[in-house]
Amino acid sequence: MMSADLALQLQTTLGDAYAIERELGGGGMSRVFTAVENALGRRVVIKVLAPDLAAGVSAQRFAREIRLAASLQQANIVPVLSAGDTNGLPYYTMPFVDGLSLRDCLARDGRLPIARAISVLRDVARALAYAHENGVVHRDIKPHNILLSGEAAVVTDFGIARALTRARSEPSVQSSDVTITELGTTLGTPAYMAPEQIAADPGADHRADLYSFGCVAYEMLAGDTPFAGRSAQQLLAAHLGERPRPLGEKCPDCPPAIVALVMQCLEKEAAARPPSAQEILRRLETTTAPASGLERLTNRLTRRQRRSVLGTTAIVLIAALAVPARAWLGGRSDVVRAESLAIIPFLNVGGDTAQEYLAEGMANELTTALGKVSGIRVASRSLSARYRGRSDIDAREIGQALTVRYVLLGTMRRTANQLAVSAQLINAADNSEAWSEDFAGVADEAYAVQDSITRAVGSTLQQRLGIAAASRGVPATASIGTTNPQAYDLYLRGKLALERRGPGVAQAIEKFEQAIARDSNFARAHAGLGVALELLPYFSPVRPIAVRERALRAAGRALALDSTQSEAYTALGLAHGHAYEWEAGLAAHRHAVALDSSDASARVQYGRLLYYLGRLPAAKVEFDRARALDPYSSVASAWSGRVLTLMGRPAEAIKELERALEIDSLNPPALFMMTQALLEAGLRDSARVFTDRLVLRVPSWRTAAGVLHAILGDRAAAEATLHELERAGPGAGERLTNIAFVALALGDTTRALAALERATDEREAWPTWGTVSGREFDQVRGSARFAALLRRVGLDERAFVSPNGGRPR
C-alpha cells in the first residue's frame, strides 16, 4: 500500500478522533504517522504494522494482548494509548515525544560523552527494571527505540513483540524483514540481538534485553556496535560465538566499572549477565569515577601486553589495577558464586580391565548427582578419554583447562565381592588436598558407595559456600532409580558402551535390556535404551523405522516412571526427527534441555536436529553450549567443526575437528567431517589420508566413505560403493539414502533424485543423514523434483531451494 493510500485509509478508520499530519517513516516493523488527538489537542504517534509483519496476526488478538503494554506507566516508558486495525493492518498509538531518537543522535554526533551516555543508560535501565518487574520483556532494545527529550531518555514499543507473538494465528509465520530472524518468529534487530534470541530459545527471558542493553551501551561509548561493519548473517553468527573487542580498548576514558558492566551484559550465556536491570541500575548509580591516567593506559594495551606489564611492575600496579582487573576479565570476576569442580574417572588399581566400566561409570554418575546440588557447578562428563588409567593427575592443569576450583579423583579396587574406594578433593590452585576419605562396601552395591561420596563432597563444598544446611540439595540414593545392584551394574556398563559409540551402541542396548529385565521400573535404563535404539542406525545396518516402536515404548515407559527423565525426551526427539516429524522433534529436544540444561549430550542432539533443518546459527549455539559444558566431548567438538565448515570457516573447523580426534581418534563422524573440512580448505592430500583412515579403521562407515572418494575424484572406488549398495537387499540399512549421497557426490543428479524419491517412499531418514544445506545439494536446488521431495518430507522449501541452501553467503 502506497504512503498516501495508507494515510487516507488510516484517516478513514480513525474518523474524527484524530487528524493525521504527516508520515515520519519507520523501520522494518511499522509505518509511523504523527496526528493530533482532537478531543485533547495533543500530538500522538500512530504506528501501523508493516504488511509482512502483520501477516498471520489477528488484529483483535493483537489489540487484546497489547493491553499489558498499555498498563506500563513509568516516566522512562512511552506508554501505549490505544490499538486497533485499519484494513486488516493492526496499529497502535503512543504520545508524541519531541526530540531525537538515540539513533539520530549517534548518526549526527558519533559516540556520546561518557557522562551523557551513563545518564541515558540509567534511564533505559529504569525502564527495563520497571517493565521486567511487571512481566514485560521488550525483545528489541536498540537506539531507534530510545528517544531523547531534554535531559531524559524514554523507551518506546514496550510489549509490542510479545503482543505480536501471541497474536499470531500461525506460530511458524516468518518475514523477510531484517527485524525478524530466520530462525522463527523471535523479534529483534541483528546488531543488538542476544544469542538466545537468535537461537529461538523458548527459555529466553528478560536477560535477552540486558544483552541488547549492553550492545546499545557499547555503541554509545565506543562509537560502533560490538560487531559493526558486518552483514546481517555475519552479525548473528558473531553474537552466537564471537567475543567483542573489549570496550576499554575502544573507549580508554570509560570508568573501569562501566567497562566491566557492559562487557558482562554481553556475555553469551544469560546466567553470566547481571541478574536484573535493577542490578544494572544500582551499579550505574554508584559509578561516577572516571578512568585514571594509568587505567586509560592499560585499557589501550592488548591482553598480552597487560600480562607483561603486570609481570614486570606487579608491586606498583597491584593496588592501582584492582578495579580495572575486573574489566579485563570481561566483568566475570564478581559473577562466579558457585563452587566448581571436575570429576576424573577413578583409577582402577586392581588391574582387572573388566572393571573399567565401574571406575568410569562411577565418575559419570557422580558428575550427574553433584551437578544437581545447589551452589555447585560440575564441568565435563567426558574426561575419561584423556585421563583414563592415569595416576599423574595435575589438578592445576585441569583447573585451568576447565575453569574449575576443585578436582575430585580417587582410586577403586574391587576384589571378590568387596569394593574399596579412596576419594580426594584437590584444590586446583595449588594441588593441595581439601578433603579425602576412604569408603568400603559390597561390590554389588556400588551405588551405595557412590552415594556416600556424593553426600560427603556435596556437604564439604556447600559448607565452603556457607550454606547452613549443608546436606540440603544433595541427592539421595533413590535418585539412581533402582535398588537392584545387578540392574545398576548393567546400566553403568550400558552407559559406558553408549558413550563409546560404534559397536558399543549395540552393546549398550543389550546391557540396558538386561538391566530392565532385573528391574522393570528402572526409568533411567528405559531412557538409555530409547536413545541407544535411535542411535543404532548410524553405526549398524539397521533402519530407524525398524527400531522406532521399540524406542518410543522405552521412552514412554521411562517418562511414565519418572517424568523428569530428560534422556527419554532426547530419545523422543530422535525418533520424531527420523520420521520427518520436525516440530514434535524440536519440542522434545527443547523439553530435554529444559529438564537438564547441563546435559551436553542433550544439547548435541538438539543441535543436530537444528542442523538438519538448516538452522545453522542455532545449531552452532547448541554445539557450543555442549562443548562448554563438556570440553572433552569429541562429539560436541566434531559437530561444532561441521557447522563451521558449512559457514565457510574451514580453518576454524579443522582446528575444532583436530580437537575432536585428539579426544577420540576413532570417532566416525569426526573422521568424515574432518575430510569435508579439509576438502573445503583445498587440502586434498590431507583429506585423502583421513578418508583412508575412515575406510580402514571404521568398516561400518565404508559406504559413507564412497561420498568422499567421489569428491576426491576416485570415481572407480565411488562406483564400486554404488554397485555394492545396489546389490544389497532391503536389510542393508538406509541403502537408498547412501546411494543418493554417493550419486550426488559423483554429479549424477538423476540417479540421486530417483534414489531419494524411493527412499522417501520407504520412509528412510535421509534428511537426517546430512543436512540439505550441504553443498552436495547445490546442483539440484533448482529442480522441481527436489522441491517436491522437500515438501513430501515437510522441510522448509524456501530455505533449501535458494542457491546457497541457507548457508551464510
Side-chain angles (χ1 to χ4, degrees), residues 46-61:
I46 304 174
K47 295 192 175 185
V48 184
L49 294 188
D52 287 347
L53 190 60
V57 172
S58 163
Q60 287 184 333
R61 199 176 307 146

Side-chain angles (χ1 to χ4, degrees), residues 492-505 507-508 511:
L492 287 181
R493 292 174 186 263
K495 285 290 288 183
L496 181 60
L498 182 60
E499 288 169 4
R500 290 178 174 172
R501 297 294 198 262
V505 178
Q507 297 167 11
K511 297 302 179 187

Side-chain angles (χ1 to χ4, degrees), residues 397-483:
E397 170 194 329
I398 298 168
Q400 291 172 359
L402 299 180
T403 319
V404 294
R405 191 172 298 175
Y406 296 98
V407 175
L408 179 65
L409 51 84
T411 61
M412 186 204 75
R413 180 186 297 273
R414 184 171 182 170
T415 56
N417 198 35
Q418 295 297 310
L419 182 67
V421 174
S422 177
Q424 291 177 292
L425 190 66
I426 306 298
N427 191 317
D430 56 8
N431 271 328
S432 63
E433 183 180 280
W435 163 89
S436 66
E437 196 165 335
D438 294 328
F439 301 88
V442 177
D444 287 342
E445 297 180 358
Y447 57 79
V449 174
Q450 170 197 306
D451 183 61
S452 297
I453 299 172
T454 301
R455 286 179 172 279
V457 174
S459 296
T460 298
L461 293 182
Q462 286 186 314
Q463 285 170 356
R464 289 174 179 270
L465 283 170
I467 298 175
S471 63
R472 183 175 59 201
V474 180
T477 304
S479 66
I480 289 170
T482 184
T483 57

Side-chain angles (χ1 to χ4, degrees), residues 338-413:
E339 292 288 17
S340 52
L341 79 156
I343 301 174
I344 306 300
F346 287 10
L347 181 64
N348 177 26
V349 297
D352 183 357
T353 56
Q355 302 304 320
E356 288 293 340
Y357 81 92
L358 183 57
E360 293 187 28
M362 183 173 290
N364 285 337
E365 291 296 289
L366 285 167
T367 299
T368 299
L370 285 168
K372 296 177 181 179
V373 177
S374 174
I376 298 177
R377 177 178 67 85
V378 184
S380 189
R381 297 173 188 241
S382 298
L383 286 166
S384 57
R386 178 165 297 223
Y387 295 105
R388 182 184 298 122
R390 283 178 52 181
S391 58
D392 58 332
I393 303 299
D394 185 344
R396 287 174 298 188
E397 170 194 329
I398 298 168
Q400 291 172 359
L402 299 180
T403 319
V404 294
R405 191 172 298 175
Y406 296 98
V407 175
L408 179 65
L409 51 84
T411 61
M412 186 204 75
R413 180 186 297 273

Side-chain angles (χ1 to χ4, degrees), residues 583-750:
E583 290 304 319
L586 288 171
H589 283 303
R590 286 170 182 153
H591 208 138
V593 299
L595 283 170
D596 188 355
S597 60
S598 66
D599 186 347
S601 178
R603 293 281 183 187
V604 167
Q605 299 309 328
Y606 180 25
R608 282 184 58 212
L609 186 54
L610 292 167
Y611 164 85
Y612 294 133
L613 293 175
R615 303 180 185 183
L616 301 181
K620 184 70 165 58
V621 168
E622 296 306 321
F623 296 143
D624 287 349
R625 286 174 175 169
R627 190 185 182 284
L629 288 165
D630 195 348
Y632 292 127
S633 168
S634 175
V635 176
S637 283
W639 280 103
S640 183
R642 176 56 183 150
V643 175
L644 286 168
T645 300
L646 283 177
M647 286 180 163
R649 296 153 63 184
E652 295 173 64
I654 290 168
K655 181 179 294 186
E656 196 65 30
L657 287 157
E658 285 175 343
R659 179 184 179 86
L661 290 169
E662 178 187 350
I663 296 168
D664 182 359
S665 63
L666 292 181
N667 181 331
L671 288 168
F672 191 90
M673 294 167 181
M674 173 62 92
T675 305
Q676 292 173 309
L678 291 166
L679 286 167
E680 183 79 8
L683 303 172
R684 297 178 68 84
D685 290 341
S686 297
R688 194 177 301 279
V689 170
F690 279 93
T691 300
D692 293 341
R693 184 183 302 177
L694 182 66
V695 172
L696 292 172
R697 303 186 69 177
V698 191
S700 62
W701 278 58
R702 187 178 65 254
T703 54
V707 172
L708 304 176
H709 285 305
I711 299 172
L712 285 164
D714 191 347
R715 294 189 66 88
E719 290 285 359
T721 300
L722 273 180
H723 292 319
E724 178 185 346
L725 288 165
E726 289 170 341
R727 287 196 304 269
E734 301 288 83
R735 183 176 64 93
L736 295 167
T737 297
N738 286 321
I739 289 173
F741 277 93
V742 177
L744 278 174
L746 285 169
D748 189 344
T749 58
T750 301

Side-chain angles (χ1 to χ4, degrees), residues 37-56:
E37 186 179 7
N38 291 323
L40 298 176
R42 64 178 175 181
R43 297 183 73 195
V44 298
V45 167
I46 304 174
K47 295 192 175 185
V48 184
L49 294 188
D52 287 347
L53 190 60

